[in-house]
Amino acid sequence: MALSKTAPETDVSIHSTFASRYVRASLPRFQIPENSIPKEAAYQIINDELMLDGNPRLNLASFVTTWMEPECDKLIMAAINKNYVDMDEYPVTTELQNRCVNIIARLFNAPLGEEEAAMGVGTVGSSEAIMLAGLAFKRKWQNRRKAEGKPYDRPNIVTGANVQVCWEKFARYFEVELKEVKLRDGYYVMDPEKAVEMVDENTICVAAILGSTLNGEFEDVKLLNDLLVRKNTLTGWDTPIHVDAASGGFIAPFIYPELEWDFRLPLVKSINVSGHKYGLVYAGIGWVIWRSKADLPDELVFHINYLGADQPTFTLNFSKGSSQIIAQYYQLIRLGFKGYKCIMENCRDNAMILKQELEKTGRFNIISKDKGVPLVAFSLKDNSGHNEFEISDMLRRFGWIVPAYTMPPDAQHVTVLRVVIREDFSRTLAERLALDIEKVLHELDSMPARVNAKLAIANGEVKSDLRHAAVAAAKKTAVEIEKEVTAAWKKFVLESRKVNGVC
Ligand SMILES: *Cc1c(COP(=O)(O)O)cnc(C)c1O
């Protein structure tokens, strides 16, 4: 039978089986198909292809929530068709976002007085939150410079070289020079003394991280604050601090309440946090809180009329879903302070178990800290034979996604494996992972070392471009040979590994 332009009725009876012609004939990949297909066929085709994605629960590369309670899933599905921006139509959703802002601001010890009343907004994530906070600092600095009759065309921002990529985006998109404090061997966060040294009259703010993405370590915001207060007094400048608490903002208030990193420090003018990390909500929610109205220049805020009342808005996008805001509110009231505390303690304990198991192997240096974001970052004591990328690659076979990456300057010679511990990562899984890592080590020990790659290449055991490198290398000095083979090997490993994103 020739294919007709419309779906024949006869297909209805078979379209839910694999015999359906919709499943047998391939769809154009990059062009809209000419005809419609039955809903069951569309579902089956997409669902089947998605089976090849990794299992989110075993994705240890990400801080982002992969499990919520079924009751919350129900609320999320019920609100999936609500556009958050229609505040007139969905006043309760707006009210829930305002409650979340209030709750989070209080967790961060925001001032509540008449003079200094905190402001905040829900965003798509910390990245949007950071763009907004950065814009507020830039505008405030420009306004001040204009008023003083000074040039305001060369703003800069001071951060550690360990910042998350969204700070680099902010700097490039909004034309602010990024001045990074370099890391060093054994010290993988921003050194507050060096950061303050880098501050000049064009610095719009210093950004500290509560929970470095690379090793989970909390930066010393208190010391930064104290050093910067002194510099401001000496110079007459007014350089503020932003805290990027994307991951740590929902950890520190619950298990390190004594740690002063938030609005208790006078120079901290804004803080962002990802609701979808340890706020325990699925991807798509972040928050930014400003210390006071004065820290958010008026000209950046738009005012919309909401049920006759004024609703200020400051976001980069217009339409977005409401579900994540509702889910955040659910978690806050469902868990309460004690619930969050329990979960964070549990994560910390599981991180500790994994850390101890890894230490027992005697093969790793642990470079995460006990106090920080619950993660274990570790590197091989000796990676001359086999390296961290190979471990990451081999763990995939067991279903684990554990990223390996090199540190930023000046610690780029250090390669790290990182396991993020989330709420749904149990003690059993921690023990299982440690066992699998041991298995991988054992297997690697019985394989030819990377430095013997030349032999494997010559024997044709690895890819041909490696063989070329080896043949060419044969004519060169020993140092050159080692360099080339290492470069080719790195390329081979990079090409064959799928994980390179850490988020
Ligand atoms: C995850 C993260 C970000 C980016 O946050 P999103 O919510 O994913 O946009 C920024 N900074 C730090 C320190 C992070 O850990």
Side-chain angles (χ1 to χ4, degrees):
M1 190 182 92
L3 294 188
S4 68
K5 290 229 160 89
T6 52
E9 283 305 304
T10 50
D11 266 2
V12 174
S13 59
I14 56 159
H15 63 212
S16 63
T17 74
F18 284 101
S20 159
R21 74 184 173 88
Y22 298 106
V23 178
R24 290 170 65 203
S26 58
L27 287 167
R29 199 157 14 151
F30 302 121
Q31 198 176 317
I32 186 157
E34 178 84 17
N35 298 310
S36 314
I37 55 174
K39 56 187 193 293
E40 293 85 351
Y43 174 83
Q44 189 171 35
I45 290 166
I46 297 171
N47 190 53
D48 289 359
E49 192 166 356
L50 283 173
M51 286 198 314
L52 295 173
D53 266 351
N55 177 348
R57 299 274 303 270
L58 295 183
N59 178 3
L60 308 182
S62 175
F63 293 103
V64 178
T65 303
T66 48
W67 179 84
M68 293 186 78
E69 288 172 331
E71 286 73 13
C72 191
D73 287 353
K74 236 159 90 181
L75 288 171
I76 288 171
M77 284 315 293
I80 203 96
N81 57 354
K82 272 193 201 172
N83 184 358
Y84 174 73
V85 90
D86 297 335
M87 299 187 193
D88 260 344
E89 286 78 6
Y90 311 125
V92 180
T93 307
T94 304
E95 163 69 14
L96 297 188
Q97 111 120 7
N98 292 344
R99 285 186 206 166
C100 289
V101 165
N102 270 275
I103 293 172
I104 293 164
R106 281 170 173 83
L107 283 174
F108 296 170
N109 295 294
L112 300 166
E114 287 290 307
E115 291 279 294
E116 276 196 321
M119 312 265 292
V121 66
T123 59
V124 177
S126 279
S127 303
E128 188 192 4
I130 283 164
M131 303 295 150
L132 299 178
L135 282 171
F137 283 119
K138 185 182 175 194
R139 187 56 68 96
K140 233 194 133 187
W141 171 83
Q142 281 174 333
N143 288 347
R144 195 170 55 238
R145 298 282 291 180
K146 272 186 217 172
E148 292 168 356
K150 291 181 179 156
Y152 52 89
D153 57 341
R154 301 199 52 203
N156 70 56
I157 188 164
V158 174
T159 68
N162 52 320
V163 280
Q164 213 261 2
V165 65
C166 66
W167 286 98
E168 290 166 42
K169 276 195 191 172
F170 165 74
R172 208 179 299 171
Y173 293 174
F174 296 105
E175 302 183 329
V176 174
E177 185 201 347
L178 189 67
K179 300 214 303 189
E180 291 183 338
V181 180
K182 293 223 166 42
L183 310 183
R184 56 179 190 268
D185 219 0
Y187 192 85
Y188 306 118
V189 290
M190 176 175 75
D191 179 337
E193 279 189 35
K194 291 211 178 108
V196 172
E197 260 169 43
M198 273 182 154
V199 167
D200 60 31
E201 59 180 344
N202 292 321
T203 303
I204 63 169
C205 86
V206 181
I209 314 174
L210 200 76
S212 172
T213 324
L214 303 175
N215 71 343
E217 187 171 346
F218 290 162
E219 290 184 347
D220 192 341
V221 193
K222 174 138 179 38
L223 178 59
L224 176 68
N225 178 84
D226 297 348
L227 294 171
L228 203 50
V229 164
R230 208 161 65 209
K231 180 147 183 172
N232 283 346
T233 315
L234 284 174
T235 56
W237 300 334
D238 196 12
T239 314
I241 296 173
H242 175 88
V243 184
D244 175 0
S247 55
F250 275 106
I251 295 167
F254 301 107
I255 55 174
Y256 306 113
E258 76 295 341
L259 184 73
E260 286 183 51
W261 64 276
D262 54 15
F263 292 116
R264 281 169 285 183
L265 304 172
L267 287 184
V268 173
K269 302 298 183 187
S270 51
I271 300 175
N272 69 276
V273 63
S274 296
H276 55 218
K277 292 185 179 173
Y278 290 92
L280 305 177
V281 178
Y282 296 135
I285 182 94
W287 303 93
V288 53
I289 312 284
W290 286 271
R291 178 180 207 93
S292 75
K293 213 166 162 292
D295 296 304
L296 181 52
D298 254 348
E299 61 265 41
L300 295 179
V301 181
F302 288 76
H303 293 266
I304 52 173
N305 189 305
Y306 150 67
L307 289 185
D310 172 58
Q311 175 70 35
T313 91
F314 180 29
T315 52
L316 294 181
N317 61 303
F318 189 66
S319 299
K320 69 170 177 181
S322 297
S323 295
Q324 262 62 10
I325 286 164
I326 294 167
Q328 181 76 77
Y329 187 66
Y330 172 91
Q331 290 292 44
L332 291 169
I333 64 159
R334 150 77 175 132
L335 296 169
F337 191 93
K338 282 202 180 129
Y340 269 98
K341 185 167 188 277
C342 267
I343 290 168
M344 300 314 149
E345 279 171 353
N346 201 36
C347 290
R348 183 179 58 187
D349 293 350
N350 287 335
M352 212 56 81
I353 285 164
L354 179 61
K355 183 187 128 179
Q356 283 159 2
E357 292 297 321
L358 292 175
E359 273 172 339
K360 268 192 226 157
T361 66
R363 305 280 292 268
F364 297 110
N365 288 320
I366 307 289
I367 58 172
S368 41
K369 304 283 168 185
D370 289 351
K371 187 169 178 174
V373 178
L375 62 81
V376 187
F378 52 107
S379 55
L380 280 164
K381 280 184 184 162
D382 173 12
N383 67 359
S384 61
H386 292 285
N387 65 20
E388 293 82 356
F389 291 109
E390 295 170 271
I391 295 182
S392 169
D393 248 5
M394 288 173 70
L395 280 171
R396 276 221 158 213
R397 274 212 333 258
F398 298 91
W400 302 110
I401 300 169
V402 176
Y405 48 89
T406 50
M407 286 286 194
D410 280 343
Q412 59 275 64
H413 53 284
V414 182
T415 307
V416 186
L417 288 154
R418 189 192 75 182
V419 175
V420 171
I421 311 293
R422 292 188 306 265
E423 180 190 6
D424 54 338
F425 188 75
S426 65
R427 184 183 168 133
T428 317
L429 285 183
E431 288 166 350
R432 182 81 237 169
L433 174 62
L435 272 177
D436 289 344
I437 289 174
E438 265 184 75
K439 267 190 224 159
V440 163
L441 285 174
H442 203 71
E443 220 173 299
L444 281 174
D445 288 345
S446 64
M447 280 164 63
R450 187 164 42 100
V451 283
N452 292 336
K454 252 194 326 179
L455 273 181
I457 293 158
N459 293 336
E461 288 161 27
V462 248
K463 273 185 152 178
S464 65
D465 54 335
L466 280 178
R467 195 153 57 237
H468 284 301
V471 172
K475 298 172 191 145
K476 302 190 176 151
T477 66
V479 178
E480 281 170 337
I481 291 169
E482 178 59 25
K483 252 194 192 159
E484 291 210 8
V485 172
T486 308
W489 179 263
K490 258 194 190 149
K491 188 163 166 269
F492 168 64
V493 171
L494 281 171
E495 278 170 2
S496 55
R497 103 191 132 99
K498 310 248 170 358
V499 192
N500 50 18
V502 280
C503 47

